Amino acid sequence: MATYSFRLNGRSVSADSWDAAQPLLYVLRNQFALHGVKFGCGLGQCGACTVLMDGRAVRSCTTPMSLAAGRAITTIEGLGTAQKPDRVQAAFIAEQAAQCGYCTSGMIMASAAFLTQTPKPTRDQVKQGLAGNLCRCGTHTRILRAVLRASRA
Amino acid sequence: MITPILSRRDLLKTGGALVVGFAFDAALPRWTWAQTPAAGGHAGKPLDPSEVDSFLAIHPDGTVTLYSGKVDVGTGLRIAVAQMAAEELGIQAERITVVDGDTGVCPDQGGTGGSTGLTRGGVEVRQAAATARQALLALGATRLGRPAAELTIVDGEVRPLAGGAGVGVGTLIGDRRFSLKVDSKAPIREPARYGVVGKPLPRPDMPDKCTGHHVYVHDFTLPGMLHARVIRPAAIGAKLVSVDDSSVRGIPGVRVVRLENFLAVVASDEWAAVSAARALKATWTEWQGLQGSDGLERWTRAAALDRDQAVVNRGDALAALGGGAKRLSATYFWPFQSHASLGPSCAVADVRGDGSATIWSASQGTHGLRSNLSKVFGLSPDKVRVVFLDGSGSYGTNGGDHAAADAVLLSKTLGQPVRVQWMRQDETGWDPKGPQQLLDVQAALDANGRIVAWDTQMWLPAQAPGGRALLAADAAGLPQDHGQGAGLLTQNGDPPYQADNVRVLVHWVKDTPLQLSNLRAPGKVANVFAVESFTDELAAAARVDPVAFRLGRLTDQRAIDVLNRAAQTFGWQPRPSPSPQARQGRMLVGRGIAYVRYKQTENYVAMAMEVAVDPASGRIDVRRVACAHDCGLIVNPDALKNQIEGSIVQTISRTLHEEVTFDRSRVTSVDWASYPILRFPEAPQVDVVLIDRPDQPLLGAGEAATAPVAAALANAIFDATGVRLRTVPFTLQRMKAALSAGSTA
């Protein structure tokens, strides 16, 4: 059993794992009860598990603990709260940009990272920026509106 | 380490007779509920749908809890039902909480399918609320010393119509029972005076969904809960020969559970369970009982039939076919498709030694699931409670009921709460599928372009009655039903247009290669693809504009209105297809239209679409969609638009990309690489126009806009290229092949 220290939503934390290959996803969900991080595929194909690592969007389902150690991890819970959402969350709420919402956390995290890189995107740039995140409910048009709204906030 | 194989008798044996009372408090965060079993005051509340108290409770502070048997699967049902009740009760929708799909506290209103969430679910709640309103007015009359006829309810207060002091509904009834039968004659508020229904109120789930705090079934935990992964066989019908438990010896705390052909691993650490499921070496028998998805259309046409059934037979279509001036025929095919939920199914079960069981599930039919689980696992239904928790969008019956069965079997076997989470390949590979559909359509036009004959023949899987077989029960050798229900598949096989002689003949095919279930707009999705594509073929043959062709054969004003509004919103320029000026640079650009009256009795939907086809690559780009939608009375226009937009985009995905593939042994489309869906770069602009009809009954909206999508797309491709695609999905290869063949594919 090894211990891994990292920063999580602004706090210093450590987690134990019997396997250095254990994906960050399971540690976030089961040791820290950060359930906003969603398991979608475990293959890095869908983006439902997206979190920020040192400010960049990564797939927590394929990020081993050994790689997360020493990094700064931000999850959807670290952005804002229902009472005080950050600008991306606020834009998603304003546009009612979810149906089942299972992809939403990953979508918001990917959007947050994208907007850091591309603060004033066009609609086409947002489409390309979110190409790796899947939404099965077909909420794409609202999500695009929400990201553009956030970019103006 | 392997748990000994149990006999069927052991499995079916129920425990002692002690009944554990359930308690519930809607105000508690759901995932902590199990840790505080003593909380709440809803034990023993009525569940009979004929009782007002089954549907609602008004609390002393004037807040309301509604109990809905229909569930919100990301559709906005909770806000819509709250608005319908708010309107009748005179209480703000914000003060209403909806508890949905918990069999312990919610009445059975049937499964949430077929777009019945509001048409049945909401309407029943509304009638209970209307009955409660009369009771509140009567209580207020006594309290205020005035006749009920002189009172109204505003903002949760019974007040004199003429003004003056009122009394809060919480004071009048607070947490006491109405003890009233739902009065089917209790007056409903007049639509003209609606203040809450029709407003785009925000969905209450949105802030938590956007901040990571909304609780899904995947997030629910119990003390002492084990994580499980089920290992499905390498071939659908394979039997388990042997398991080498030494293959998982290095993984901490893992137990292997084998019950005949049911194989699972459990551990208190989820990653240990996942790792063990991957590492476990098991030997299965060979099995090659499938014919494979290649050539499925040919297989379907040649398959043994259960029976033929004429579902529409007006005039003599066969005789009239020979009499027309122009006769056309075409064949359309729709493949097996997966619900492909983004989050694989999950369930938690706690089966106790006393025979009681609680199951947390995202099932669209929790009451039905309770009956099925009770029957199959030998539990007494009155001791089984299924609690709905949100899941990943399911669009019908995905793998969720199977996951619940896995969890029940494991919890019952191990005597501990068990959480079963399916992996990606389980969900896409093993969810019950929407069936393949083959349609032959022929019609004849007379010299004036009148449709004198129309004949649709459709090959559909015969739907065996009974419950859907649960994978876990079959694997463990438990007796159960083997029903094959996939929804109402035959509707919309006839044209919605004036036609003199019409026949729709169903060839019910005996066998189905894969297990079936209802998948959004079951049957209708392919029937309307065929009927509306073929209508376009008739319009092209008659050299008439596709919108004008349809309008010329419709008399229902609501149908005419949606077609006109869709065309107008789109900026439709009337002319026959194909387009004489399709080329724009290297792309071929065209537009198509399709219309449906869903199930021939429900929503009116018309949809225009612009596509660009790249002839070099075969890539099809849907640029924009304009949809006009009439579902009668609108309860929440924004939640409604969200549903319609989703139906459109999801069905573009189904039409362009989606096909379940299988070989002789198993489904081979098992992840997002082998079962691709639409991605953001392909997302079109979508404009939805809602036509509100407050004087008309409300209709469901989860499915109708799905139905015309594939035909609008195919018709737009024909307009752009002169080539018609009649087999879904419209892959790059299929588009290119059709273009090089130069005519049709």
Side-chain angles (χ1 to χ4, degrees), chain B residues 473-503:
Chain B
D474 266 356
L478 299 172
Q480 62 174 335
D481 288 347
H482 285 81
Q484 289 282 8
L488 301 169
L489 299 176
T490 66
Q491 294 159 321
N492 291 115
D494 50 333
Y497 309 108
Q498 285 172 342
D500 300 332
N501 302 282
V502 179
R503 182 182 76 160

Side-chain angles (χ1 to χ4, degrees), chain B residues 232-317:
Chain B
R232 301 286 173 211
I236 289 174
K239 307 288 179 206
L240 185 54
V241 179
S242 64
V243 181
D244 173 11
D245 65 317
S246 71
S247 56
V248 296
R249 205 159 279 157
I251 302 171
V254 170
R255 288 175 70 189
V256 178
V257 181
R258 179 184 176 180
L259 303 157
E260 300 203 5
N261 298 302
F262 179 84
L263 182 62
V265 289
V266 296
S268 55
D269 176 49
E270 186 177 15
W271 178 242
V274 174
S275 303
R278 286 183 186 162
L280 187 66
K281 290 202 172 75
T283 309
W284 301 87
T285 57
E286 291 283 313
W287 182 85
Q288 296 203 324
L290 299 176
Q291 75 284 356
S293 50
D294 283 348
L296 184 61
E297 181 181 335
R298 282 194 310 280
W299 179 88
T300 305
R301 187 179 291 281
L305 298 181
D306 181 65
R307 68 189 197 285
D308 280 349
Q309 181 189 7
V311 292
V312 178
N313 211 351
R314 212 164 62 234
D316 189 343

